[in-house]
Amino acid sequence: ETKYSKFAYVSSSSTFTTHPCPMERAHLQSCDVLIISSLTNAPSVNPDTMLGELCTRMATTLKNGGNILIPCYPTGVVYDLLECFHSFLENAGLGGIPVYFISPVAKSSLSFSNIYAEWLCEGKQSKVYLPEHPFPHAEFLKSGRLQHFPNIHGDLGSVYQTPCVVFTGHPSLRCGDAVHFMEVWGTSGKNAVIFIEPGFDYLHALAPYQPINMKAFYFPIDPGVNFFVANKLLKELQPRCLVTPTGYLPSSAQSQKETTCLQPEMIFHGVTRGSVVSISLASKYHKIQITPELAGSLLPQEIHPGILATTVSGLLTIKSGQNMLHPLPHPSAKRLWGQTSAEKLVSMLQEQGIMDVVVQGRDKEEVITVLGGKASVIISNGQTTVQNCHDEKLRVLLRDLLLRQLIQL
């Protein structure tokens, strides 16, 4: 953001009330250019609905003696899942089921989530200063129901028991410890793998393991901004120009529903990988600094009660993007401000002993005839002209009286 233009960028954001701080929309209001990217491609999937179905399938599998594998990333939505499971397993009568979190960064991820309070929502931030743990997985760890390991080759073997729930990577099932569990548990129909990451095709992920007896469920939990929410944001934020990937914009072959594409009501530009977009910013003003010497020479005059004004003339220099106004080498002429009035001029002439003054009005102009035609003063559309005056003393007098009605700035 500069003094006269503002760019905003919305990427990988969420309007759902989860553990992170809510989106600060005030800073995005009325920006000149808004860039939107990383919208979710699953606009019809509600995260709350997916979470409910996930818990139902998990409870059914565990009660039948099966194991649950959840291939996921070690940060992000996993914090919400652990918080949900903490109470769900207890309420479902599955409080004795162990939960294993296996990742090289599992310990660090759980630890940092409890100490970086500034990125948490207000409710969780307040717990940090009580002090309490913002996430219930701290109590989950303390009770031993949640255990974390860097890999499957260390201490996991000494505490491993089934049935259990395992969070590990990678969501693609092409690397990480998830591959081991797929090979071990894939032969039993009691076990289940639950995919929650929306960025992966679960059928493609399962392809190398076919045929497989293990149940597979796809419950993508994606709290990110979708097209419907993005369209509401555009109406709320009212940017002057939108820049977004071309795939987010409506096409002739695409449905015009606000849940499948963006529907901008402002100027917009579609971008593709490597493309360059030229955006013109019609800046009305530029910031100019004046030197102390020039500022000290200014003498503001009161033009209305409580309102002072002056004119500024100087030498403008532009260097390194900075505009600086310096004093002129030679003093500039004074500027006049105000309007002349025929009524005031007649009054001033009478104070000078000149009574032979006639005022005539015609077509939005006034003509003041002085001393039977020795001089004429025409006031029209903000301009004042002295005509037909061959008497130098009278001309100078009229000039001075007219200048007395104006303010020198």
Side-chain angles (χ1 to χ4, degrees):
E1 181 177 1
T2 67
K3 292 290 184 181
Y4 307 108
S5 60
K6 181 167 69 172
F7 286 73
Y9 182 32
V10 177
S11 174
S12 298
S13 302
S14 176
T15 57
F16 280 89
T17 305
T18 56
H19 63 270
C21 289
M23 179 189 296
E24 295 185 3
R25 307 184 188 186
H27 300 292
L28 306 175
Q29 291 282 357
S30 304
C31 56
D32 294 285
V33 179
L34 176 63
I35 304 171
I36 293 183
S37 67
S38 302
L39 297 182
T40 174
N41 292 319
S44 60
V45 178
N46 186 298
D48 294 332
T49 303
M50 292 294 98
L51 185 58
E53 294 184 10
L54 185 154
C55 290
T56 300
R57 295 293 185 179
M58 183 177 66
T60 302
T61 302
L62 293 174
K63 288 179 178 179
N64 291 333
N67 302 294
I68 299 291
L69 172 64
I70 303 179
C72 62
Y73 293 116
T75 60
V77 74
V78 68
Y79 299 136
D80 296 304
L81 290 180
L82 290 175
E83 183 171 2
C84 176
F85 291 172
H86 179 263
S87 57
F88 172 77
L89 293 177
E90 194 72 38
N91 296 334
L94 300 170
I97 299 295
V99 178
Y100 302 123
F101 186 18
I102 305 172
S103 169
V105 295
K107 182 178 180 180
S108 300
S109 176
L110 294 176
S111 299
F112 282 127
S113 66
N114 281 323
I115 62 176
Y116 281 130
E118 62 271 16
W119 64 276
L120 298 178
C121 62
E122 185 177 350
K124 294 190 180 299
Q125 283 187 18
S126 62
K127 291 184 177 182
V128 176
Y129 302 105
L130 287 178
E132 292 181 5
H133 293 291
F135 288 97
H137 60 238
E139 297 297 328
F140 216 3
L141 284 168
K142 189 176 180 180
S143 65
R145 291 166 55 195
L146 171 64
Q147 300 181 63
H148 56 77
F149 302 94
N151 52 62
I152 60 174
H153 305 292
D155 298 332
L156 176 63
S158 61
V159 298
Y160 176 75
Q161 62 181 28
T162 58
C164 63
V165 179
V166 173
F167 291 88
T168 189
H170 186 268
S172 66
L173 298 185
R174 296 297 186 272
C175 58
D177 292 321
V179 175
H180 169 77
F181 287 100
M182 288 297 298
E183 294 173 348
V184 174
W185 291 348
T187 57
S188 174
K190 290 184 177 181
N191 302 321
V193 55
I194 301 178
F195 295 88
I196 63 170
E197 298 293 347
F200 296 90
D201 183 351
Y202 79 103
L203 294 177
H204 182 265
L206 291 171
Y209 303 96
Q210 300 295 346
I212 188 173
N213 296 324
M214 190 179 193
K215 295 184 181 68
F217 303 103
Y218 181 59
F219 301 129
I221 300 178
D222 190 353
V225 173
N226 56 36
F227 291 109
F228 179 76
V229 175
N231 281 315
K232 291 178 63 178
L233 280 175
L234 289 177
K235 293 179 181 179
E236 176 186 342
L237 302 179
Q238 292 293 318
R240 296 180 182 175
C241 177
L242 172 68
V243 178
T244 192
T246 305
Y248 292 171
L249 298 171
S251 62
S252 57
Q254 188 179 21
S255 170
Q256 300 298 310
K257 295 181 179 179
E258 61 181 4
T259 57
T260 57
C261 63
L262 293 178
Q263 295 181 335
E265 299 177 354
M266 67 290 297
I267 299 173
F268 62 88
H269 298 276
V271 295
T272 57
R273 184 183 295 273
S275 64
V276 178
V277 176
S278 178
I279 301 173
S280 60
L281 295 177
S283 298
K284 295 182 179 179
Y285 305 100
H286 290 277
K287 182 179 179 180
I288 298 179
Q289 296 180 339
I290 61 176
T291 62
E293 294 79 11
L294 180 57
S297 65
L298 302 179
L299 299 174
Q301 301 293 324
E302 188 173 29
I303 57 176
H304 288 297
I307 300 177
L308 284 78
T310 187
T311 58
V312 181
S313 298
L315 179 65
L316 177 63
T317 62
I318 303 175
K319 183 178 181 181
S320 301
Q322 298 293 325
N323 303 319
M324 184 67 71
L325 197 63
H326 303 265
L328 290 172
H330 305 286
S332 60
K334 293 290 185 179
R335 301 291 192 272
L336 299 175
W337 186 92
Q339 291 183 342
T340 55
S341 167
E343 183 179 351
K344 290 183 179 180
L345 180 60
V346 171
S347 176
M348 291 178 175
L349 287 170
Q350 290 176 349
E351 291 177 358
Q352 297 295 324
I354 301 176
M355 302 300 178
D356 188 4
V357 181
V358 179
V359 179
Q360 295 176 322
R362 62 184 184 186
D363 298 332
K364 296 183 181 181
E365 70 176 20
E366 292 178 300
V367 179
I368 302 98
T369 305
V370 182
L371 296 177
K374 285 189 175 181
S376 298
V377 179
I378 302 175
I379 301 176
S380 174
N381 296 325
Q383 295 183 347
T384 304
T385 308
V386 178
Q387 293 183 342
N388 303 325
C389 184
H390 302 289
D391 187 335
E392 182 64 16
K393 289 183 178 181
L394 180 58
R395 186 191 67 79
V396 172
L397 176 62
L398 291 173
R399 181 200 67 184
D400 292 343
L401 295 178
L402 290 170
L403 288 176
R404 282 170 55 185
Q405 298 185 36
L406 304 175
I407 299 175
Q408 289 190 358
L409 299 177

